[in-house]
Amino acid sequence: EATACDRPTGLLPVSRNTGGQRLKVMMLGEYPARPDSIDGGVAAVVTYLSEALAARPDVDLSGVRVQGEHGSGGKAFGYPVYDIPKGSLGLTSLYSAQRRRLGELVKSINPDIIHAQGADLPGYLALRSRIPAVVTVHGMVGEDARYKTRLRERARGTLTSWLIERPTVRAARSVVLISPYVANYYGKMLRGRI
C-alpha cells in the first residue's frame, strides 16, 4: 500500500539550504485524534502532509492540533503532536489563551517555520507567533457563514471572518491556495507571495 512518503516530491533537500541541519517545521492544523481515524477534509491534508514531511531525513516535524479532536499527544503519529485547547472565550478574547499556549510551544520547540493549515485560527495563531509562516487557505469562513441555517452560527462565522480570517489573509506573506476559486474570492486581500 502506497503512502504519501512513497511518492517523489521533486523538492531539493532542505539540508542544502541549512548547512546540514534539519529544518524544524511546526504544522498547525486540525489533526485527528488518531492517524488511523481521519474524518476527511483538512484533517486528511494535515495528516498526509505531515506524514510526508516527517519521513524526510532533513525535516524535524512537530504538529500542533488546533480545532481538532484532542488525542494522545501524538505518540500514534510517530512525531510529537501538541494540543491547543479551544477554550470557552476563544473569539471573544481574540484567542488570547491559544496565543499564549502557542507561544509556550514556540519557545520550547524553536521552529524555523510554521505551516498553518487554514486562514482561520491556525493562520491567525501562526502569524502572531513572530516565526516565519506559510498559510494554506482551504476554505472561506465568511462564505461558509452565509449558508449556515442557525443565526448564531451565521453570526459567529461572519465575526470570525472579519476578526480572524480577513486580517490573516491580508497579513500572510506566504500563501498556498487550493484552487483558483479561493484566489478569486480573496482577490486584492492577498498581498503575500502565492
Side-chain angles (χ1 to χ4, degrees), residues 85-100 121 124 152 156 159-160 163-164:
K86 287 183 189 177
S88 57
L89 294 178
L91 184 59
T92 16
S93 68
L94 290 179
Y95 298 101
S96 61
Q98 291 78 5
R99 285 182 294 163
R100 247 188 327 276
L121 184 55
Y124 178 78
R152 182 178 175 148
R156 182 174 179 76
L159 275 175
T160 301
L163 298 173
I164 304 298

Side-chain angles (χ1 to χ4, degrees), residues 5-103:
C5 49
D6 292 332
R7 293 183 287 280
T9 62
L11 299 175
L12 293 174
V14 173
S15 59
R16 293 179 92 177
N17 299 323
T18 61
Q21 296 177 2
R22 294 175 76 194
L23 182 69
K24 290 176 155 184
V25 177
M26 180 181 277
M27 181 76 69
L28 269 66
E30 295 181 31
Y31 282 94
R34 296 185 335 264
D36 60 349
S37 179
I38 302 169
D39 197 21
V42 178
V45 172
V46 170
T47 303
Y48 299 138
L49 178 57
S50 294
E51 180 183 299
L53 286 172
R56 291 182 61 122
D58 50 1
V59 173
D60 181 11
L61 179 70
S62 296
V64 178
R65 185 181 292 113
V66 180
Q67 297 174 309
E69 307 170 48
H70 294 290
S72 61
K75 293 175 184 153
F77 286 87
Y79 49 88
V81 176
Y82 305 92
D83 287 317
I84 294 184
K86 287 183 189 177
S88 57
L89 294 178
L91 184 59
T92 16
S93 68
L94 290 179
Y95 298 101
S96 61
Q98 291 78 5
R99 285 182 294 163
R100 247 188 327 276
R101 174 67 178 135
L102 182 61

